[in-house]
Amino acid sequence: MEAAAAAVLPALVPSSSAVVVLFAYLGYLAAAGAILPGKLVAGAVLPDSSRLHYRCNGLLSLLLLLGLCAFGVYMGWMTPTVVADRGLELLSATFIFSVVVSFGLYFAGTKSRHKSSSLKPHVSGNFIEDWWLGVQLNPHFMGVDLKFFFVRAGMMAWLFINLSLFAKSYLAGSVNLSVILYQFFCAWYIIDYFVHEEFMTSTWDIIAERLGFMLVFGDLVFIPFTFTIQGWWLLRNEVELSLLASVANFCIFIIGYLVFRGANKQKHMFKKDPKAPIWGKPPKVVGGKLLASGYWGIARHCNYLGDLLLALSFSLPCGFSSVIPYFYPTYLLILLIWRERRDEARCSQKYKEIWAEYCKLVPWRILPYVY
């Protein structure tokens, strides 16, 4: 145990190369986000009737960065395992960066005199609460919407860590069906996220959560470094799946994807056009505000069910010899039940009798006939 700790602890100290990789990555994303063309999407209407606009060029930024990295590897300027080789160093560097940024957001937010919904400070007087949950809804830095920027950085980093792990497995000759399934499922999910990046502008995180340590850490550290635990596990443990298990795993992924993407798309389209047909029929709307058709007529948070099935499909390629690869779906189950409870309380307060009517019409929270 002492020998293992002695080997790990030095790697937790960020090296200069890890810091360079981190800031080069964030610098590229900031520049690409500002320069590259992309669809300009209007965000949700805020309490003061204002709306932010988001340039959704994440997919182009991702493809360009993949091309630049491939060219760098071809020219011998970098190795494809550069991220996997510095995993712990990048983790600690990103964590320290997240803490520093969170303090900066807290102090800048408390000094803000803005009256707009995006930048108006919300100070409870409890330092820990304000630092953790954030003070401002949509803080900016040098013209960059930090909340939108950080979630883009985290999602993209998830893919690049996985690709670096895949390169390491390939060079070690340990790529098998389990590795391929895991890599394919995650890559599909992440690329699909950027294809539909505009849907992010209508999510709870963007329209309701203030930007504090909880979101900064969640986006920059938790997403890329814990959602890749399965990749690290498969790098060190050989798992052979049967054909039947692989097919079952693939079916769970497809069902999860269809529910998750379909539900989010229906919600986004309903917000843009409340009269748009759902599954070929006019939408059923409760109180003129709440969609009760399609997936949203099956469960009140059916998108969470899709997300949970996807998370499970990412872990199943690791087999059942350890609970470690199942950290992500376990964490997500706890998080989404907690978030669903918060959503229910917020919607009950906001919509009052309309929400009560919707709950009678759609009694199931996440999983029909179970919960």
Side-chain angles (χ1 to χ4, degrees):
M1 181 68 71
E2 292 181 0
V8 170
L9 287 177
L12 288 174
V13 179
S15 65
S16 58
S17 58
V19 173
V20 168
V21 170
L22 173 62
F23 280 95
Y25 172 66
L26 295 176
Y28 164 81
L29 286 185
I35 296 172
L36 296 179
K39 183 179 180 181
L40 199 62
V41 177
V45 178
L46 299 176
D48 63 356
S49 299
S50 65
R51 302 181 78 170
L52 296 178
H53 289 78
Y54 302 90
R55 188 181 300 278
C56 295
N57 56 8
L59 181 61
L60 184 57
S61 300
L62 172 61
L63 295 177
L64 179 59
L65 185 55
L66 283 170
L68 291 173
C69 289
F71 182 72
V73 170
Y74 175 77
M75 296 298 294
W77 299 336
M78 59 183 290
T79 66
T81 61
V82 62
V83 177
D85 291 339
R86 293 170 174 79
L88 288 177
E89 295 176 17
L90 285 169
L91 169 61
S92 60
T94 309
F95 174 76
I96 293 170
F97 177 76
S98 300
V99 173
V100 172
V101 166
S102 300
F103 277 111
L105 289 170
Y106 170 79
F107 289 115
T110 54
K111 294 179 180 179
S112 173
R113 296 295 180 265
H114 285 274
K115 301 299 181 182
S116 66
S117 295
S118 293
L119 300 176
K120 180 181 178 180
H122 299 266
V123 182
S124 68
N126 183 318
F127 168 75
I128 297 297
E129 179 181 337
D130 293 336
W131 174 74
W132 179 270
L133 296 177
V135 175
Q136 295 175 301
L137 184 63
N138 297 104
H140 287 64
F141 179 73
M142 297 180 67
V144 176
D145 184 299
L146 293 178
K147 189 190 294 186
F148 197 65
F149 174 79
F150 287 151
V151 70
R152 175 183 287 184
M155 290 296 294
M156 211 175 287
W158 178 8
L159 178 62
F160 278 94
I161 292 175
N162 270 349
L163 291 177
S164 190
L165 290 171
F166 181 78
K168 208 168 181 66
S169 295
Y170 178 80
L171 293 174
S174 59
V175 174
N176 57 18
L177 183 58
S178 295
V179 173
I180 292 172
L181 284 176
Y182 166 72
Q183 290 286 344
F184 173 77
F185 293 158
C186 289
W188 181 284
Y189 179 86
I190 296 165
I191 293 172
D192 178 77
Y193 168 87
F194 286 109
V195 169
H196 300 96
E197 189 176 29
E198 67 175 279
F199 293 177
M200 183 64 190
T201 63
S202 59
T203 60
W204 169 267
D205 284 353
I206 293 294
I207 65 178
E209 295 279 19
R210 299 190 296 275
L211 186 61
F213 180 75
M214 181 180 73
L215 283 188
V216 176
F217 173 82
D219 290 339
L220 295 182
V221 180
F222 201 85
I223 288 177
F225 291 100
T226 63
F227 290 10
T228 54
I229 286 175
Q230 302 95 319
W232 290 102
W233 175 265
L234 290 171
L235 182 64
R236 292 167 171 76
N237 299 271
E238 185 174 349
V239 178
E240 294 292 344
L241 292 181
S242 67
L243 179 60
L244 180 61
S246 300
V247 171
N249 194 174
F250 191 79
C251 289
I252 291 173
F253 170 77
I254 292 298
I255 294 170
Y257 172 76
L258 291 175
V259 174
F260 173 77
R261 178 53 61 215
N264 284 329
K265 185 175 182 179
Q266 287 176 356
K267 179 179 70 173
H268 183 77
M269 296 307 296
F270 175 73
K271 289 184 177 181
K272 291 180 65 177
D273 180 8
K275 296 182 179 180
I278 302 293
W279 287 347
K281 299 179 181 180
K284 182 184 295 184
V285 183
V286 179
K289 295 181 178 180
L290 300 176
L291 176 64
S293 290
Y295 290 106
W296 301 97
I298 298 174
R300 301 198 294 272
H301 304 275
C302 49
N303 55 329
Y304 291 173
L305 174 61
D307 216 359
L308 287 168
L309 289 173
L310 285 168
L312 179 62
S313 74
F314 298 160
S315 298
L316 287 174
C318 298
F320 299 100
S321 62
S322 173
V323 298
I324 292 176
Y326 291 86
F327 170 82
Y328 175 32
T330 303
Y331 151 78
L332 193 64
L333 176 63
I334 296 170
L335 172 70
L336 292 183
I337 290 177
W338 171 71
R339 175 166 285 190
E340 172 265 323
R341 294 287 175 166
R342 288 180 66 196
D343 291 350
E344 294 273 326
R346 172 178 168 268
C347 290
S348 178
Q349 183 178 22
K350 180 178 180 180
Y351 297 111
K352 297 180 172 59
E353 65 276 359
I354 297 177
W355 182 255
E357 182 182 350
Y358 176 59
C359 290
K360 289 181 181 179
L361 187 63
V362 186
W364 305 109
R365 295 171 181 262
I366 297 177
L367 181 60
Y369 304 103
V370 177
Y371 177 73

